[in-house]
Amino acid sequence: MNATESRRQFLRQAGLGVAAAALTGPAAAASLSPSVMQDENQKKLGFAIVGLGKYATEQMMPAFKDCKHARITALVSGSPDKARKLAAEYGVDAKNIYSYQNFDSIKDNPAVDVVYIVLPPGLHAEYTIRAAQAGKHVLCEKPMANTPEECQRMIEACKKAGKKLMIAYRAQFEPFNLDAIERIRKGELGKLRMVTADHGRQVQPDKDQADTWRVQKKLAGGGSLMDIGIYSLNAARYLTGEEPVEVTAQEYSDKSDPRFKEVEDVIHFTLRFPSGVLASCTSAYSIEGVKRYRAYGDKAWLDLDPATDYYKHQMKIGDKDGERQPQIKEGNQFAAELDHMAECVMQNKTPKTPGEEGLRDIKLIMAIYEAARKGKPVRV
Amino acid sequence: MNATESRRQFLRQAGLGVAAAALTGPAAAASLSPSVMQDENQKKLGFAIVGLGKYATEQMMPAFKDCKHARITALVSGSPDKARKLAAEYGVDAKNIYSYQNFDSIKDNPAVDVVYIVLPPGLHAEYTIRAAQAGKHVLCEKPMANTPEECQRMIEACKKAGKKLMIAYRAQFEPFNLDAIERIRKGELGKLRMVTADHGRQVQPDKDQADTWRVQKKLAGGGSLMDIGIYSLNAARYLTGEEPVEVTAQEYSDKSDPRFKEVEDVIHFTLRFPSGVLASCTSAYSIEGVKRYRAYGDKAWLDLDPATDYYKHQMKIGDKDGERQPQIKEGNQFAAELDHMAECVMQNKTPKTPGEEGLRDIKLIMAIYEAARKGKPVRV
């Protein structure tokens, strides 16, 4: 029995999956003694963060403080200085810092249960497969990979290793989105008729180092669609609860703009679902930030704007009596996502957003690109 | 010289096009003696309202009180009781009430300068042509007609009669929309990249008599696209200031719903403009009210929601510094539209929204239907 399994068994026997949770969080931690803190940590699974870019360091890593079942125990980076600084900040043992070269030796480190891949999409397949082969469970950022073939290899590698694979669709762990889905499933909007979803941002490789890989096809897989249009796509799927049967698309990229030499800028796509519901989605890399969607039923519509931001979401519902803004409690979507991964490992459950979920989006993205390229609808 | 021409000449000689305007309106009227009121009225062109439905009686006719150059002098209706009641309310001489049968005798009525056609679209061609043949100028509701051929015949009939033809695109006379267009033209959003526009409502022929013709193809020409999707389409054109070169579309109508036996419910369409700008538009007859659009430039986006309502419009602009809500003065779009028609007649100008503008939309609507039917993009 390895360290993870013994921890898992301990939690199961003690029925602490929930009890432990109730004790943690910053408020609870403040009143606990150091030894209790240590006990709490031992109940958490260890995560190795692969790739210490802006998203990892500014959004996701700080969220671990709110996790009940997950903590950072290792860092993998090409920048030893950055890694050492962050290790000190997050209380990670310096011996648990890896480079991309010695990453595979992580297999010998019992402090690491889960490898969280926060690299550009073009590197997801390689590092997921190496992590699985090192005997680690894998949480991997969206988009899952550059191609369906890569996704398939990732799924197979994790299956062969008997390890979990989850794709980090944070919006599916975010309270406003979960509330929206629940209202739709309960019929609050009536019969769903259509969805609109818009995601856009300014990609600025010359101003923001975090954007340099985003305009390189090899690393990013594609342009705005792969990076942010995927939120429109994924939302259309989780709001309807259906899988599209047909896609159409139109693309526009100003090729004189150096940002769009390799990847697309604006892409508009429509999804047709089996029930007849249509979703009109947009994605762009040359506009100011938009992250919104609206689901329209035959009784009411539900609007999230922003819908897929890091925080400060807003819901609006419109029906024959007018508009209202339901008050929903904000929650840490990053912590919820990390804890879900940990729980799936501890309880041997299939993640809510497994590799197959990531693969579905990548297949649809390929169909959208094909529809745009050929100028005709593509059946999927 | 007929009555109209003499009035026109009087106004021109007196330079009263603006001065007269400043004196009118309910506030001014209250302080004027009956004889002055009569003088003011004589400076206004006489409008015959053809079709006394909900829109005419609840929105447009009340707006005449704010007009500087237009007043109601005749009514044309199939309901003599309704016409008599409204004639009394609006101070229209009972001898100026017409039926659809004796409508053509309006040619002998010098009190009527302009015929405003507020009938279902399927009747627009017939009544526009009859009005032109009666020697009257024509203001006609949108959509202009059921087919491009009908539009062409309307244009030709008015041309042959030497009369003006204007299509009542009220949004093009509405201050928030005009402000939005001006900001875009001045470059406030930077280079325009994309537009989204959504229009929807519940069509309820069983509850609202005003909706009965809307689900009959012969009268309505089509479904939601003809009636309200046209606002998304027209907005995409006036926001970009361009004419689309290609359209794609997808439609969904539940044929088990008696409302959609003859006309379409949901239709999503994308327009590609010569500059590369894409517009994603939606239209639906089975959802709660939505009348909004957003134009995205490479520096900022501009949102109107509602964009094409009767009143209470709201503008929001988002850029790198956040979001703001410019305060714009509400204005009576109906009165502005009616006055524009009157001014075009008085000053022999081409209306801002002539028959050719209506024809352009109808041609595009036909292309959108074709794209939806054939499942492929249509060049226009």
Side-chain angles (χ1 to χ4, degrees):
Chain A
M1 190 183 284
N2 67 25
T4 306
E5 283 163 349
S6 64
R7 234 189 333 269
R8 197 190 309 157
Q9 200 171 57
F10 165 77
L11 284 170
R12 208 182 300 123
Q13 285 165 353
L16 279 179
V18 174
L23 286 172
T24 56
S31 65
L32 296 175
S33 69
S35 68
V36 173
M37 283 285 284
Q38 200 173 349
D39 283 354
E40 290 304 320
N41 271 341
Q42 281 176 0
K43 288 172 208 153
K44 293 179 176 178
L45 295 199
F47 279 61
I49 311 301
V50 185
L52 304 177
K54 192 174 174 177
Y55 176 74
T57 56
E58 293 182 13
Q59 306 300 334
M60 185 264 291
M61 288 170 66
F64 274 90
K65 71 175 188 310
D66 292 334
C67 284
K68 298 163 186 170
H69 308 301
R71 65 190 181 113
I72 304 173
T73 52
L75 301 175
V76 184
S77 172
S79 312
D81 289 349
K82 191 198 250 183
R84 267 192 299 272
K85 194 170 159 289
L86 285 162
E89 190 180 328
Y90 282 89
V92 171
D93 194 327
K95 73 175 172 13
N96 294 344
I97 296 175
Y98 294 85
S99 69
Y100 295 117
Q101 286 69 42
N102 70 7
F103 169 66
D104 305 281
S105 65
I106 207 163
K107 72 175 186 295
D108 303 317
N109 193 337
V112 175
D113 304 293
V114 176
V115 167
Y116 186 176
I117 311 213
V118 203
L119 297 166
L123 301 171
H124 287 183
E126 177 188 343
Y127 282 86
T128 294
I129 293 165
R130 284 169 70 180
Q133 288 172 348
K136 305 301 180 185
H137 302 281
V138 179
L139 175 59
C140 177
E141 261 307 312
K142 45 58 56 185
M144 184 172 173
N146 283 8
T147 65
E149 294 67 32
E150 286 183 350
C151 297
Q152 207 66 61
R153 286 198 289 119
M154 292 160 75
I155 291 169
E156 279 158 20
C158 291
K159 195 175 170 189
K160 192 175 166 191
K163 298 295 159 185
K164 304 292 178 196
L165 171 59
M166 169 170 156
I167 309 305
Y169 284 104
R170 60 180 171 78
Q172 294 201 39
F173 298 89
E174 192 285 317
F176 284 69
N177 282 272
L178 295 175
D179 190 276
I181 295 167
E182 199 188 335
R183 287 173 195 266
I184 292 170
R185 295 291 180 281
K186 276 165 47 186
E188 193 172 321
L189 309 187
K191 196 164 151 30
L192 207 61
R193 293 291 185 187
M194 56 181 253
V195 172
T196 59
D198 307 300
H199 283 82
R201 53 163 294 202
Q202 293 282 6
V203 73
Q204 301 183 300
D206 51 341
K207 290 185 187 168
D208 188 345
Q209 215 219 316
D211 276 354
T212 51
W213 64 264
R214 287 192 161 87
V215 296
Q216 298 174 46
K217 183 144 203 267
K218 199 177 164 189
L219 285 173
S224 73
L225 175 59
M226 286 289 273
D227 188 34
I228 53 174
I230 194 172
Y231 286 106
S232 292
L233 172 62
N234 200 251
R237 291 178 50 236
Y238 62 69
L239 292 172
T240 58
E242 295 187 87
E243 294 303 328
V245 292
E246 187 186 74
V247 304
T248 61
Q250 286 181 301
E251 187 218 310
Y252 172 61
S253 310
D254 177 357
K255 289 297 175 190
S256 72
D257 185 327
R259 298 176 295 173
F260 307 120
K261 288 230 178 304
E262 298 187 16
V263 302
E264 83 280 0
D265 174 10
V266 180
I267 190 156
H268 288 197
F269 55 100
T270 309
L271 311 169
R272 184 191 291 278
F273 291 93
S275 64
V277 169
L278 296 175
S280 244
C281 305
T282 70
S283 171
Y285 253 171
S286 62
I287 62 176
E288 286 302 317
V290 57
K291 304 174 174 193
R292 66 170 186 173
Y293 61 65
R294 192 177 283 194
Y296 298 80
D298 62 4
K299 289 196 172 58
W301 50 255
L302 182 154
D303 187 281
L304 280 196
D305 184 10
T308 56
D309 212 336
Y310 298 146
Y311 48 85
K312 290 192 179 170
H313 298 87
Q314 287 201 326
M315 185 182 287
K316 206 161 68 175
I317 293 177
D319 60 21
K320 65 180 169 46
D321 300 319
E323 293 183 13
R324 60 198 167 89
Q325 291 192 290
Q327 294 309 302
I328 295 154
K329 200 170 176 294
E330 280 273 358
N332 188 328
Q333 61 188 312
F334 310 100
E337 177 182 67
L338 294 162
D339 272 340
H340 178 75
M341 178 69 195
E343 283 172 340
C344 287
V345 170
M346 293 190 288
Q347 299 165 23
N348 193 25
K349 291 191 308 189
T350 300
K352 182 180 167 182
T353 53
E356 288 75 8
E357 170 77 354
L359 171 60
R360 263 179 229 120
D361 274 352
I362 299 300
K363 279 184 175 169
L364 286 166
I365 285 173
M366 295 303 126
I368 292 165
Y369 282 139
E370 186 189 340
R373 204 169 49 242
K374 295 188 175 168
K376 62 179 190 185
V378 171
R379 302 285 302 179
V380 284
Chain B
M1 190 182 288
N2 66 24
T4 308
E5 282 163 350
S6 64
R7 235 190 330 270
R8 197 189 312 157
Q9 199 171 59
F10 165 77
L11 284 170
R12 210 182 296 122
Q13 286 166 352
L16 279 180
V18 173
L23 286 172
T24 56
S31 65
L32 296 175
S33 70
S35 68
V36 173
M37 281 286 283
Q38 199 173 347
D39 283 355
E40 289 304 318
N41 272 342
Q42 282 177 0
K43 287 171 207 154
K44 293 180 177 179
L45 296 199
F47 279 60
I49 311 301
V50 185
L52 304 177
K54 192 173 173 177
Y55 177 74
T57 56
E58 292 183 13
Q59 306 300 333
M60 185 263 291
M61 288 170 66
F64 274 90
K65 73 176 187 308
D66 292 334
C67 284
K68 299 164 186 169
H69 309 301
R71 64 188 181 115
I72 303 172
T73 52
L75 301 175
V76 184
S77 172
S79 312
D81 288 349
K82 191 198 250 185
R84 267 192 298 272
K85 194 171 160 287
L86 285 163
E89 190 179 330
Y90 283 89
V92 172
D93 195 326
K95 73 174 172 13
N96 294 345
I97 295 175
Y98 295 84
S99 69
Y100 295 116
Q101 286 69 42
N102 70 6
F103 169 66
D104 306 280
S105 66
I106 208 164
K107 71 175 188 294
D108 303 317
N109 193 336
V112 175
D113 303 293
V114 176
V115 168
Y116 185 176
I117 310 211
V118 204
L119 297 166
L123 301 171
H124 287 183
E126 178 188 343
Y127 282 85
T128 294
I129 293 165
R130 283 168 71 178
Q133 288 173 348
K136 305 301 179 185
H137 302 281
V138 179
L139 175 59
C140 177
E141 260 308 312
K142 45 58 57 187
M144 184 171 173
N146 284 7
T147 65
E149 294 67 32
E150 287 182 350
C151 297
Q152 207 68 61
R153 286 198 290 119
M154 292 159 74
I155 291 169
E156 279 158 21
C158 291
K159 196 175 169 189
K160 192 175 167 192
K163 298 294 158 186
K164 305 292 177 194
L165 172 59
M166 169 169 154
I167 309 304
Y169 283 104
R170 60 180 170 76
Q172 293 200 40
F173 297 89
E174 192 286 317
F176 283 69
N177 283 272
L178 295 174
D179 189 276
I181 295 167
E182 199 187 337
R183 286 173 196 266
I184 292 170
R185 296 291 180 281
K186 276 165 46 185
E188 193 173 321
L189 309 187
K191 196 164 151 31
L192 208 61
R193 292 291 185 188
M194 57 181 253
V195 171
T196 59
D198 307 301
H199 283 83
R201 55 163 292 202
Q202 292 283 7
V203 73
Q204 300 182 301
D206 51 342
K207 289 186 188 168
D208 188 345
Q209 214 218 316
D211 276 355
T212 50
W213 64 263
R214 287 192 161 86
V215 297
Q216 298 174 45
K217 182 142 203 266
K218 198 177 165 190
L219 285 173
S224 74
L225 175 58
M226 287 289 273
D227 188 36
I228 53 174
I230 194 172
Y231 287 106
S232 291
L233 171 63
N234 200 252
R237 291 178 50 236
Y238 61 69
L239 292 173
T240 59
E242 295 188 87
E243 295 302 329
V245 292
E246 187 186 73
V247 304
T248 62
Q250 287 181 300
E251 187 217 312
Y252 171 61
S253 310
D254 177 357
K255 289 296 173 191
S256 73
D257 185 326
R259 298 177 295 173
F260 307 121
K261 288 229 179 305
E262 298 187 16
V263 302
E264 84 280 359
D265 174 10
V266 180
I267 190 155
H268 288 196
F269 55 100
T270 308
L271 310 169
R272 183 191 291 279
F273 291 94
S275 64
V277 169
L278 296 175
S280 244
C281 305
T282 70
S283 172
Y285 252 172
S286 62
I287 63 176
E288 286 302 318
V290 57
K291 305 175 173 193
R292 66 170 187 173
Y293 61 65
R294 192 178 282 194
Y296 299 80
D298 63 2
K299 289 196 172 57
W301 50 254
L302 183 153
D303 188 281
L304 280 196
D305 183 10
T308 57
D309 213 336
Y310 298 146
Y311 48 86
K312 290 192 179 169
H313 299 86
Q314 287 202 327
M315 185 182 288
K316 205 161 69 175
I317 294 177
D319 61 20
K320 65 180 169 46
D321 300 319
E323 293 183 12
R324 61 198 166 89
Q325 291 192 290
Q327 294 308 304
I328 295 154
K329 199 170 176 296
E330 281 274 357
N332 188 328
Q333 61 189 313
F334 310 100
E337 177 183 67
L338 294 161
D339 272 341
H340 178 76
M341 178 69 196
E343 282 171 340
C344 287
V345 170
M346 292 190 287
Q347 298 164 23
N348 193 25
K349 291 190 310 189
T350 301
K352 182 181 167 183
T353 54
E356 288 75 8
E357 171 76 355
L359 171 60
R360 263 179 229 119
D361 274 351
I362 299 300
K363 280 183 174 170
L364 286 166
I365 284 173
M366 295 303 126
I368 291 166
Y369 283 139
E370 185 189 341
R373 204 168 51 240
K374 295 188 175 169
K376 62 179 191 187
V378 170
R379 302 285 303 178
V380 285

